Amino acid sequence: MTNFIEILIRGLMLGSVYALVGMGLTLVWGVVGIVNIAHGEFVMLGAYLAFWAFSLIHFNPLLSVALAIPIFFFAGMTIHKRITERLTKAPELSALILTFGMSILIWNLAQFFWTNTYRSVPYLTGSFPFFGLVFAKSKTVSFFLALGITAALFAFLKYSRLGKGIRATSQNSEVALVCGINTMRMRAVTFGMGIALAGAAGTIVSLQWVIFPQMGASYVSKAFAIVVLGGLGNIQGALAGGLIIGVLESLTTQYWSAKMAQIIPSMTILLILLLKPTGLFKK
Amino acid sequence: MRVERKEEKILTIDGLVSGYGKMEILHGISLSVRRGEIVGLIGPNGAGKSTVLKAAAGLLKVTSGKVVFKGEDVTGTPPYRIVEKGMAFNPQGRVVFPDMTVQEHLDMGAWTIKDRQEKEKSLQRIDQLFPWLMEKKKRKASQMSGGEQQMLSLARAMMIQPKLLLLDEPSLGLSPKWVKTVFEKVVEIKESGIPCLIVEQKAAMVLEYSDYGYVLEMGNNRFEGKGRDLLTNPDVRRLYLGG
């Protein structure tokens, strides 16, 4: 029983980080209307940011989250203004193809500059006991970081002026426009936030897993499963979806095999689309 | 049938050509809204009534012609700048943010108002106009009836203390009782000094309330005149009011 609870909690910890990636994807999809296939590449870039900051100047990897959020936010806004903004009125397929190309470009550049060597950030290793359960330090810290960012995101969207403008734009962009909201700017800010969430998630995963140029692929597939689970554009749904995927992965790894855990995202997408295409949660 | 209208022009649209992308809908529309007026804009489906409003509010590209608001040429101004100048727009159909509360709608309506006191003044005004709304501040729009949503949208538009109110088919999908309530509210708004330009499918209804009316057909001006004159005009009756 203690073992089961431990596995469950590990799943939630894992899922909290997946949720960050998923929330970024669903936010951009819902508000900007762009399916960003390159979303996972920003997780990878975030992980490399933490790695290089740590190995070059011994920058504390826990603080690299704070570094990543503004950097990725402004990078995301710039990418949107220069490249993806023109896609908001184009057919969805154009966005798919463009961001797919972007994804390939980014991980190839990463491979070119940083090689295929597996990297890791040796910080906060080891584990600690907690009421008879055992948890990895890095994963526990990651969990709280992810929860903190999630809470900040929710509060921002609910209470801040900009957050309300973003919600208004996503729920009815015509009415938002006639309220005097610059919806184009809202979309750029949202794109930046989506990329910032991916980058932040990247710095967090650098604490727990190996870093390599193609690592984004597994995160983007999980993020898609999360978006499908939670319902398109549904942020709370994505949080729940992320936790569900994390727990499923943790349980499958423990009671079946790590290989089987790899098929969870695609199985989830398949089942949800067959049984409840609007996602598990009402918006 | 033209009548002399002496009041100051709040909105003048002159030879407006506009449409969606390459599809031209309006082929040179002219109309005006003067101080103290409700102006009705009617015509069959596809006449371009809504397009006129959207082009005036800056939501559509104007190919040629002019939109003059309070003596200032605002042709091609982005919508969020036009709002700041005091033109409020109540669009057609989906008029609310379904997942947002009444309070949040009013906040969004006041998006361009920086001054706290001005916003407070607007809220007091809304409280007078829609007292029941202020009792439902925490209600989400999706939990309200179509009529309530339309009123919420009106309240939202009124937050900028507009100098002109554009309404696109406010009666759409409402019960006759709500239609009457909405129009009476519009009259109240007009009487408080805010002229209104209303596009309506329910032509006879809107002319009843209008000081002046325009009839469009296929993106061109067809008739114009005082609301009551248009109502009794045999051509207008036969063509647009169903006999």
Side-chain angles (χ1 to χ4, degrees), chain B residues 47-67:
Chain B
K49 306 180 297 281
S50 302
T51 316
V52 173
L53 296 194
K54 285 185 187 164
L59 293 168
L60 290 176
K61 215 172 190 155
V62 174
T63 319
S64 82
K66 264 203 313 202
V67 179

mmCIF file of all heavy atoms in Angstrom, chain B residues 47-67:
data_model
loop_
_atom_site.group_PDB
_atom_site.id
_atom_site.type_symbol
_atom_site.label_atom_id
_atom_site.label_comp_id
_atom_site.label_asym_id
_atom_site.label_seq_id
_atom_site.Cartn_x
_atom_site.Cartn_y
_atom_site.Cartn_z
ATOM 1 N N ALA B 47 -27.852 42.736 -47.791
ATOM 2 C CA ALA B 47 -27.816 44.122 -48.272
ATOM 3 C C ALA B 47 -26.550 44.822 -47.809
ATOM 4 O O ALA B 47 -26.146 45.824 -48.392
ATOM 5 C CB ALA B 47 -29.048 44.875 -47.782
ATOM 6 N N GLY B 48 -25.914 44.278 -46.768
ATOM 7 C CA GLY B 48 -24.677 44.869 -46.272
ATOM 8 C C GLY B 48 -24.853 45.726 -45.035
ATOM 9 O O GLY B 48 -23.976 46.521 -44.698
ATOM 10 N N LYS B 49 -25.973 45.523 -44.334
ATOM 11 C CA LYS B 49 -26.256 46.350 -43.155
ATOM 12 C C LYS B 49 -25.172 46.201 -42.083
ATOM 13 O O LYS B 49 -24.594 47.183 -41.614
ATOM 14 C CB LYS B 49 -27.616 45.958 -42.540
ATOM 15 C CG LYS B 49 -28.771 45.990 -43.528
ATOM 16 C CD LYS B 49 -30.065 45.588 -42.862
ATOM 17 C CE LYS B 49 -30.111 44.170 -42.326
ATOM 18 N NZ LYS B 49 -30.357 43.110 -43.303
ATOM 19 N N SER B 50 -24.899 44.945 -41.722
ATOM 20 C CA SER B 50 -23.888 44.708 -40.690
ATOM 21 C C SER B 50 -22.518 45.176 -41.143
ATOM 22 O O SER B 50 -21.704 45.640 -40.332
ATOM 23 C CB SER B 50 -23.807 43.225 -40.346
ATOM 24 O OG SER B 50 -25.047 42.765 -39.906
ATOM 25 N N THR B 51 -22.259 45.019 -42.438
ATOM 26 C CA THR B 51 -20.964 45.422 -42.980
ATOM 27 C C THR B 51 -20.717 46.909 -42.758
ATOM 28 O O THR B 51 -19.592 47.328 -42.486
ATOM 29 C CB THR B 51 -20.897 45.072 -44.484
ATOM 30 O OG1 THR B 51 -21.420 43.761 -44.664
ATOM 31 C CG2 THR B 51 -19.493 45.131 -45.012
ATOM 32 N N VAL B 52 -21.787 47.704 -42.882
ATOM 33 C CA VAL B 52 -21.653 49.148 -42.651
ATOM 34 C C VAL B 52 -21.144 49.401 -41.238
ATOM 35 O O VAL B 52 -20.189 50.154 -41.022
ATOM 36 C CB VAL B 52 -23.007 49.863 -42.855
ATOM 37 C CG1 VAL B 52 -22.905 51.329 -42.447
ATOM 38 C CG2 VAL B 52 -23.467 49.748 -44.301
ATOM 39 N N LEU B 53 -21.781 48.730 -40.261
ATOM 40 C CA LEU B 53 -21.379 48.930 -38.871
ATOM 41 C C LEU B 53 -19.940 48.491 -38.645
ATOM 42 O O LEU B 53 -19.148 49.191 -38.002
ATOM 43 C CB LEU B 53 -22.311 48.168 -37.925
ATOM 44 C CG LEU B 53 -23.773 48.577 -37.857
ATOM 45 C CD1 LEU B 53 -24.436 47.951 -36.640
ATOM 46 C CD2 LEU B 53 -23.930 50.084 -37.815
ATOM 47 N N LYS B 54 -19.612 47.309 -39.174
ATOM 48 C CA LYS B 54 -18.262 46.783 -38.954
ATOM 49 C C LYS B 54 -17.213 47.689 -39.563
ATOM 50 O O LYS B 54 -16.141 47.906 -38.979
ATOM 51 C CB LYS B 54 -18.130 45.372 -39.533
ATOM 52 C CG LYS B 54 -18.815 44.337 -38.668
ATOM 53 C CD LYS B 54 -18.546 42.954 -39.219
ATOM 54 C CE LYS B 54 -19.366 41.920 -38.465
ATOM 55 N NZ LYS B 54 -19.418 40.650 -39.194
ATOM 56 N N ALA B 55 -17.504 48.203 -40.747
ATOM 57 C CA ALA B 55 -16.537 49.103 -41.400
ATOM 58 C C ALA B 55 -16.402 50.392 -40.605
ATOM 59 O O ALA B 55 -15.308 50.918 -40.423
ATOM 60 C CB ALA B 55 -16.977 49.383 -42.834
ATOM 61 N N ALA B 56 -17.541 50.895 -40.083
ATOM 62 C CA ALA B 56 -17.496 52.135 -39.309
ATOM 63 C C ALA B 56 -16.690 51.942 -38.031
ATOM 64 O O ALA B 56 -15.936 52.824 -37.616
ATOM 65 C CB ALA B 56 -18.912 52.595 -38.971
ATOM 66 N N ALA B 57 -16.825 50.754 -37.409
ATOM 67 C CA ALA B 57 -16.142 50.495 -36.148
ATOM 68 C C ALA B 57 -14.682 50.090 -36.338
ATOM 69 O O ALA B 57 -13.971 49.821 -35.375
ATOM 70 C CB ALA B 57 -16.885 49.411 -35.370
ATOM 71 N N GLY B 58 -14.256 49.999 -37.601
ATOM 72 C CA GLY B 58 -12.853 49.678 -37.870
ATOM 73 C C GLY B 58 -12.559 48.197 -37.939
ATOM 74 O O GLY B 58 -11.402 47.798 -37.997
ATOM 75 N N LEU B 59 -13.610 47.377 -37.942
ATOM 76 C CA LEU B 59 -13.387 45.929 -37.982
ATOM 77 C C LEU B 59 -13.116 45.431 -39.394
ATOM 78 O O LEU B 59 -12.614 44.326 -39.578
ATOM 79 C CB LEU B 59 -14.600 45.193 -37.409
ATOM 80 C CG LEU B 59 -14.856 45.381 -35.913
ATOM 81 C CD1 LEU B 59 -16.224 44.856 -35.525
ATOM 82 C CD2 LEU B 59 -13.787 44.693 -35.096
ATOM 83 N N LEU B 60 -13.491 46.232 -40.383
ATOM 84 C CA LEU B 60 -13.254 45.819 -41.770
ATOM 85 C C LEU B 60 -12.463 46.896 -42.499
ATOM 86 O O LEU B 60 -12.521 48.078 -42.151
ATOM 87 C CB LEU B 60 -14.596 45.613 -42.501
ATOM 88 C CG LEU B 60 -15.427 44.418 -42.087
ATOM 89 C CD1 LEU B 60 -16.746 44.428 -42.842
ATOM 90 C CD2 LEU B 60 -14.690 43.124 -42.342
ATOM 91 N N LYS B 61 -11.751 46.456 -43.514
ATOM 92 C CA LYS B 61 -10.978 47.386 -44.303
ATOM 93 C C LYS B 61 -11.909 48.231 -45.181
ATOM 94 O O LYS B 61 -12.833 47.701 -45.787
ATOM 95 C CB LYS B 61 -10.019 46.592 -45.199
ATOM 96 C CG LYS B 61 -8.698 47.305 -45.387
ATOM 97 C CD LYS B 61 -7.715 46.411 -46.106
ATOM 98 C CE LYS B 61 -6.342 47.077 -46.046
ATOM 99 N NZ LYS B 61 -5.262 46.127 -46.154
ATOM 100 N N VAL B 62 -11.655 49.523 -45.231
ATOM 101 C CA VAL B 62 -12.440 50.413 -46.088
ATOM 102 C C VAL B 62 -11.648 50.635 -47.379
ATOM 103 O O VAL B 62 -10.517 51.107 -47.343
ATOM 104 C CB VAL B 62 -12.712 51.752 -45.387
ATOM 105 C CG1 VAL B 62 -13.395 52.732 -46.329
ATOM 106 C CG2 VAL B 62 -13.566 51.530 -44.151
ATOM 107 N N THR B 63 -12.235 50.241 -48.509
ATOM 108 C CA THR B 63 -11.539 50.365 -49.786
ATOM 109 C C THR B 63 -11.556 51.809 -50.271
ATOM 110 O O THR B 63 -10.556 52.346 -50.720
ATOM 111 C CB THR B 63 -12.172 49.452 -50.854
ATOM 112 O OG1 THR B 63 -12.501 48.208 -50.258
ATOM 113 C CG2 THR B 63 -11.253 49.239 -52.024
ATOM 114 N N SER B 64 -12.745 52.415 -50.204
ATOM 115 C CA SER B 64 -12.808 53.844 -50.492
ATOM 116 C C SER B 64 -13.998 54.443 -49.774
ATOM 117 O O SER B 64 -14.828 53.723 -49.221
ATOM 118 C CB SER B 64 -12.849 54.106 -52.005
ATOM 119 O OG SER B 64 -14.159 53.946 -52.483
ATOM 120 N N GLY B 65 -14.049 55.748 -49.744
ATOM 121 C CA GLY B 65 -15.091 56.424 -48.975
ATOM 122 C C GLY B 65 -14.548 56.850 -47.627
ATOM 123 O O GLY B 65 -13.379 56.595 -47.308
ATOM 124 N N LYS B 66 -15.414 57.477 -46.855
ATOM 125 C CA LYS B 66 -14.946 58.067 -45.604
ATOM 126 C C LYS B 66 -15.881 57.776 -44.450
ATOM 127 O O LYS B 66 -17.082 57.674 -44.613
ATOM 128 C CB LYS B 66 -14.839 59.594 -45.768
ATOM 129 C CG LYS B 66 -13.447 60.065 -46.128
ATOM 130 C CD LYS B 66 -13.157 61.503 -45.765
ATOM 131 C CE LYS B 66 -14.187 62.525 -46.137
ATOM 132 N NZ LYS B 66 -13.642 63.883 -46.227
ATOM 133 N N VAL B 67 -15.284 57.629 -43.273
ATOM 134 C CA VAL B 67 -16.056 57.541 -42.041
ATOM 135 C C VAL B 67 -15.621 58.715 -41.175
ATOM 136 O O VAL B 67 -14.448 58.822 -40.819
ATOM 137 C CB VAL B 67 -15.798 56.220 -41.289
ATOM 138 C CG1 VAL B 67 -16.601 56.174 -39.997
ATOM 139 C CG2 VAL B 67 -16.118 55.023 -42.172
#
